[in-house]
Amino acid sequence: MLNAADDLLVERGFAALTIEGIAQRAGVAKQTIYRWWKSKVDILLDTLTDDAREALKWHVGTGAGAEEDLKAHLRRVADFFQEPAGQVLQALLGHAQLDDDTSASLRAGFLREQRERDVAGLRDLLAGAETTVDDRGLDHLVDLALGPLYFRVLVFGAPIDKELVDATARLTLTLARELEAGGS
């Protein structure tokens, strides 16, 4: 059912996605879907959470160095936006601008959990580079590292290129070293 929801969203868009369509594509009765989810938004939130958990996982300490590990993670984020799960995120973020319940669910669930993973991942990456930044500074660094990517995709609808990834990784690590030296 989750795969059917992903596929139909990519094929038809958010507005045309229906529980009936998901049920038909998955080969189940509508009632089966309603036993688990109350709306298409709930289905999409579950599929997004499942897909992102692995796709947006941080891999640090690979031996390539902090900058290369950060670039690799940012490339995974860029690739994610091109996948069906990334399109689900884009659709939910767009819908959340118009629907308070979707906004609250997205922020309390997926976005909060992903932010926690991003903070922990960047903290681990910096620790491997023997750089320590306080929680407030780390929070700002996560914004700096991911903000340009989200901006490029969500505001301009443009792909994320290698130059943006490389510059963002370099600037994030430069600022991390400055925050450590300056005491945040």
Side-chain angles (χ1 to χ4, degrees), residues 36-143:
W36 295 95
W37 300 279
K38 65 181 181 176
S39 70
K40 69 182 181 182
V41 168
D42 291 334
I43 295 170
L44 292 173
L45 284 168
D46 277 356
T47 188
L48 173 63
T49 299
D50 287 348
D51 292 341
R53 193 170 288 122
E54 186 59 34
L56 298 178
K57 182 178 181 179
W58 284 72
H59 303 278
V60 299
T62 65
E67 187 170 333
E68 289 306 313
D69 284 352
L70 183 53
K71 286 178 187 178
H73 180 71
L74 297 179
R75 278 189 221 104
R76 278 190 298 282
V77 173
D79 292 345
F80 178 79
F81 276 115
Q82 301 305 311
E83 297 170 3
Q87 293 174 22
V88 168
L89 175 57
Q90 292 174 61
L92 287 170
L93 286 169
H95 187 66
Q97 302 307 303
L98 306 171
D99 184 83
D100 290 340
D101 289 340
T102 300
S103 178
S105 293
L106 191 57
R107 286 187 177 120
F110 172 76
L111 291 174
R112 180 189 53 76
E113 291 169 13
Q114 187 57 46
R115 181 62 173 216
E116 290 169 359
R117 286 189 291 270
D118 289 334
V119 167
L122 187 57
R123 179 182 290 117
D124 291 346
L125 183 138
L126 293 175
E130 299 182 3
T131 303
T132 304
V133 177
D134 68 21
D135 289 344
R136 184 168 182 245
L138 190 60
D139 199 48
H140 290 159
L141 289 170
V142 169
D143 289 343

Side-chain angles (χ1 to χ4, degrees), residues 126 129-134 136-138 140-141 144 167 169-184:
L126 293 175
E130 299 182 3
T131 303
T132 304
V133 177
D134 68 21
R136 184 168 182 245
L138 190 60
H140 290 159
L141 289 170
L144 178 63
R170 192 171 45 258
L171 290 170
T172 300
L173 293 174
T174 298
L175 182 56
R177 287 186 289 272
E178 288 177 14
L179 288 173
E180 179 183 54
S184 298

Side-chain angles (χ1 to χ4, degrees), residues 153-171:
V153 170
L154 298 174
V155 175
F156 286 107
I160 300 164
D161 56 36
K162 181 184 182 315
E163 292 79 14
L164 178 62
V165 165
D166 292 351
T168 301
R170 192 171 45 258
L171 290 170

